[in-house]
Amino acid sequence: MKRYLLFTACLVSTGIMQAQQTLNTAENAVRYTTDNLTGTARFRGLSGAMGAVGGDLSAMTINPAGAAIFNYNSGTASLSSYNVNNKSSYFGNTEKENYNNFDLNQIGAIFVFNNNNEAATVRKFTLGFNYENNNSFYNRSFSRGVNTRNSIDQYFLRYANGVGNEGAISLNTLNNAYFENLSYNDQQAYLGYNAYAFNPGTDPNGPAYVSNIPQTGNYYQENYTATSGFNGKVAFNFAAQLKERLYLGINLNAHFTDYIENTTFYEDTNNTSGAGMQEIQFDNQRYTYGGGFSFNLGAIYKFTEAFRAGIAYESPTWMTLRNEVSQRIASYCPECDQNSTASNFVFDPATVFVYDRYTIKNPAKWTASAAYVFGKSGLLSVDYTLKDYSNTEYKSHGYGAINDQLSSTLDLASTIRVGAEYRIKQLSLRAGYRYEESPYKTSRTIGDLNGATGGIGYSFGISRLDLAYSWYQRSYQSQMLPTAFPDSARIKSTNNNITLSYTIDL
């Protein structure tokens, strides 16, 4: 049975702060600032370009004024199938990993209250709610290759010899029990020391600790990463139609996230001499969970019966999160322990470290929309969104250096979505395209996104069945280890999603 050690505010120490700062990197903050194309099948079929169209439960999460476009009480539920194909490149070697998942990704309802007085300013108002998975974290990737530069010893030696201005960890600390050290840095050094990745140095003028891994030859390395969970949102909506042409709306949003990441790093030194550590496997599990709040404001104006435009604002999201971490290490070192005949060493503390809560503020975004409706024949719509990712920041104390990194590496990014719908009696045909700029100033970390969608819908009168297919592709950099290891794999991720929605009007 795993033990749980809780690090709370009543145990505040330099070690706890270092642990949180090490775990909560700039890349981890970006994970909760980016959304994906989710929602109803009609919304997906139009690539989400529905900010000025409205009349859809997912569209109201972009522009809450779109809820007032509804003429009848309505409810929608959506099921999605996700397929992710990752192509990894690491030191010239290419590997592929495929993953499938199935999810109830959206459910919501809208209630319409009409005013029969045609001279009234408020012609109708609506109340609604919508649950939606903004982003699915289900993914798998596998990388392997021969590293001619760096071994995993660089990871452990960084902590053992001191991070930044810290001095080297004392040998006494490394010999103490794993559970007595509140410092994450000390724990990482302890794991490496007990796996015989490094030894105390013998040169009084040199580093306190030196590698026990042969420094000649190549290092065969593998890294497997499996993630799961979601980033979800429940929107509570109020919208109203004023006179004939103006629609206004507001959403109050409750956010929640659940993210699990399991990584396994394996290294074989390919050393034929038999000296030093020969093989090592390092397993990490991180579980992040929590919730937050934001709000949306929006307006849509019908300039004519055919042409309409909209503007929407989504506030920053304040997310309060908590981390749980567990680790395991194993190594093969035939000559490392002179007091034992064992060659295989395993250290599994079977312990989950629960760290104190922290807060991330995600940036606000603006969306401008326009749509042209061709009567009952169809429509053409476009959305343009701006989001300044450099405003992402940790609001908890002690994150000044990471916040500086966020503001200097992240950038203002735009998103363009275009959608079209053509109706033939009860049948609707849909297509769309979207382009999202990288949130980083350099697209090396995360590249730009290109995606295309298509869909079909059939109306049965008071109900409708919609089906959508969405494809998108994006490349990103994947760290082999959480921090302190310089090499990373390049992942080209291709996503194929299918969504089926059922809508009923009452």
Side-chain angles (χ1 to χ4, degrees):
M1 178 179 294
K2 287 188 175 182
R3 286 173 286 182
Y4 285 78
L5 296 186
L6 182 65
F7 293 163
T8 62
C10 62
L11 298 175
V12 171
S13 71
T14 302
I16 297 174
M17 189 62 67
Q18 291 170 345
Q20 289 281 45
Q21 292 174 358
T22 303
L23 290 169
N24 298 329
T25 62
E27 290 77 15
N28 290 323
V30 172
R31 179 184 304 119
Y32 306 106
T33 67
T34 54
D35 296 332
N36 209 338
L37 179 63
T38 60
T40 68
R42 187 183 182 214
F43 183 79
R44 283 192 170 190
L46 292 169
S47 284
M50 296 190 68
V53 176
D56 181 274
L57 285 166
S58 292
M60 82 178 189
T61 64
I62 302 297
N63 189 332
I69 302 292
F70 280 94
N71 292 317
Y72 310 99
N73 299 338
S74 183
T76 303
S78 304
L79 296 171
S80 289
S81 171
Y82 303 91
N83 172 266
V84 185
N85 187 283
N86 290 318
K87 182 179 179 181
S88 170
S89 299
Y90 186 64
F91 283 96
N93 190 71
T94 300
E95 296 293 332
K96 292 183 178 180
E97 189 75 16
N98 194 64
Y99 183 73
N100 295 283
N101 186 49
F102 187 76
D103 184 28
L104 173 66
N105 70 288
Q106 180 275 327
I107 187 168
I110 198 80
F111 302 94
V112 181
F113 301 87
N114 290 295
N115 190 341
N116 294 325
N117 182 1
E118 295 184 358
T121 300
V122 180
R123 295 298 179 86
K124 65 180 173 183
F125 71 90
T126 61
L127 297 174
F129 75 92
N130 187 57
Y131 158 78
E132 204 163 287
N133 280 354
N134 289 341
N135 204 354
S136 172
F137 295 137
Y138 287 88
N139 202 357
R140 301 287 186 272
S141 66
F142 176 70
S143 306
R144 66 174 177 175
V146 178
N147 192 330
T148 60
R149 301 190 299 251
N150 297 298
S151 166
I152 193 176
D153 61 356
Q154 301 300 310
Y155 176 83
F156 297 111
L157 283 171
R158 177 178 184 265
Y159 294 111
N161 285 322
V163 178
N165 296 324
E166 298 176 13
I169 296 172
S170 69
L171 186 60
N172 182 60
T173 299
L174 289 177
N175 287 322
N176 286 337
Y178 181 68
F179 313 104
E180 294 179 6
N181 296 313
L182 293 181
S183 168
Y184 182 85
N185 296 353
D186 290 354
Q187 290 167 353
Q188 302 313 289
Y190 179 87
L191 289 169
Y193 184 67
N194 282 273
Y196 294 96
F198 62 86
N199 293 321
T202 57
D203 184 357
N205 299 317
Y209 301 98
V210 295
S211 176
N212 190 40
I213 296 176
Q215 299 300 294
T216 59
N218 300 322
Y219 310 101
Y220 172 78
Q221 296 169 344
E222 293 181 356
N223 190 70
Y224 178 74
T225 301
T227 60
S228 60
F230 54 88
N231 196 10
K233 178 172 72 175
V234 177
F236 300 93
N237 172 270
F238 172 79
Q241 178 185 347
L242 307 183
K243 294 295 185 178
E244 293 289 338
R245 301 187 181 278
L246 180 61
Y247 302 82
L248 301 175
I250 181 173
N251 289 344
L252 300 179
N253 307 311
H255 298 257
F256 47 93
T257 192
D258 195 84
Y259 175 77
I260 299 175
E261 179 183 80
N262 289 281
T263 63
T264 295
F265 181 92
Y266 170 81
E267 179 178 295
D268 184 338
T269 64
N270 291 328
N271 180 37
T272 58
S273 69
M277 194 187 71
Q278 304 296 299
E279 299 177 45
I280 189 169
Q281 179 174 309
F282 188 31
D283 301 326
N284 284 266
Q285 182 183 81
R286 173 196 177 114
Y287 176 34
T288 303
Y289 55 93
F293 171 81
S294 70
F295 65 89
N296 299 67
L297 301 173
I300 297 174
Y301 188 79
K302 285 186 177 181
F303 291 91
T304 66
E305 285 302 312
F307 179 71
R308 62 186 70 170
I311 186 73
Y313 168 78
E314 182 171 349
S315 75
T317 303
W318 289 267
M319 298 285 291
T320 299
L321 306 174
R322 167 167 269 174
N323 295 320
E324 296 183 4
V325 174
S326 59
Q327 297 176 301
R328 177 186 181 275
I329 196 165
S331 65
Y332 174 68
C333 192
E335 301 177 356
C336 288
D337 192 342
Q338 297 179 356
N339 299 319
S340 172
T341 58
S343 298
N344 295 294
F345 303 94
V346 177
F347 181 70
D348 185 358
T351 300
V352 177
F353 290 94
V354 183
Y355 295 96
D356 203 6
R357 291 182 176 88
Y358 58 96
T359 301
I360 296 176
K361 190 186 84 168
N362 298 334
K365 69 177 181 181
W366 288 89
T367 301
S369 310
Y372 195 91
V373 180
F374 300 92
K376 296 183 178 181
S377 299
L379 61 88
L380 181 65
S381 180
V382 60
D383 282 11
Y384 180 76
T385 298
L386 281 176
K387 191 172 184 178
D388 192 349
Y389 289 91
S390 66
N391 290 329
T392 304
E393 62 178 321
Y394 287 93
K395 300 300 291 184
S396 302
H397 177 69
Y399 286 89
I402 298 177
N403 287 335
D404 289 343
Q405 182 184 356
L406 286 166
S407 63
S408 63
T409 59
L410 300 182
D411 202 3
L412 178 69
S414 64
T415 298
I416 298 175
R417 297 179 178 183
V418 180
E421 182 177 67
Y422 182 68
R423 298 172 187 161
I424 308 171
K425 296 183 178 180
Q426 286 84 18
L427 184 68
S428 297
L429 303 176
R430 306 180 184 108
Y433 169 78
R434 65 174 173 141
Y435 170 78
E436 296 182 13
E437 289 184 317
S438 169
Y440 285 85
K441 291 181 179 179
T442 170
S443 59
R444 175 65 184 170
T445 306
I446 297 177
D448 297 337
L449 181 148
N450 281 281
T453 61
I456 188 171
Y458 191 86
S459 175
F460 300 94
I462 64 169
S463 65
R464 188 177 75 246
L465 197 63
D466 297 297
L467 183 69
Y469 165 76
S470 61
W471 169 94
Y472 71 89
Q473 196 170 76
R474 168 172 256 168
S475 296
Y476 62 93
Q477 187 172 278
S478 176
Q479 288 293 126
M480 301 295 281
L481 288 169
T483 56
F485 190 77
D487 297 311
S488 60
R490 188 68 179 170
I491 309 291
K492 184 177 183 180
S493 184
T494 302
N495 291 255
N496 297 277
N497 302 329
I498 296 175
T499 300
L500 179 67
S501 295
Y502 178 72
T503 300
I504 183 167
D505 296 329
L506 299 176

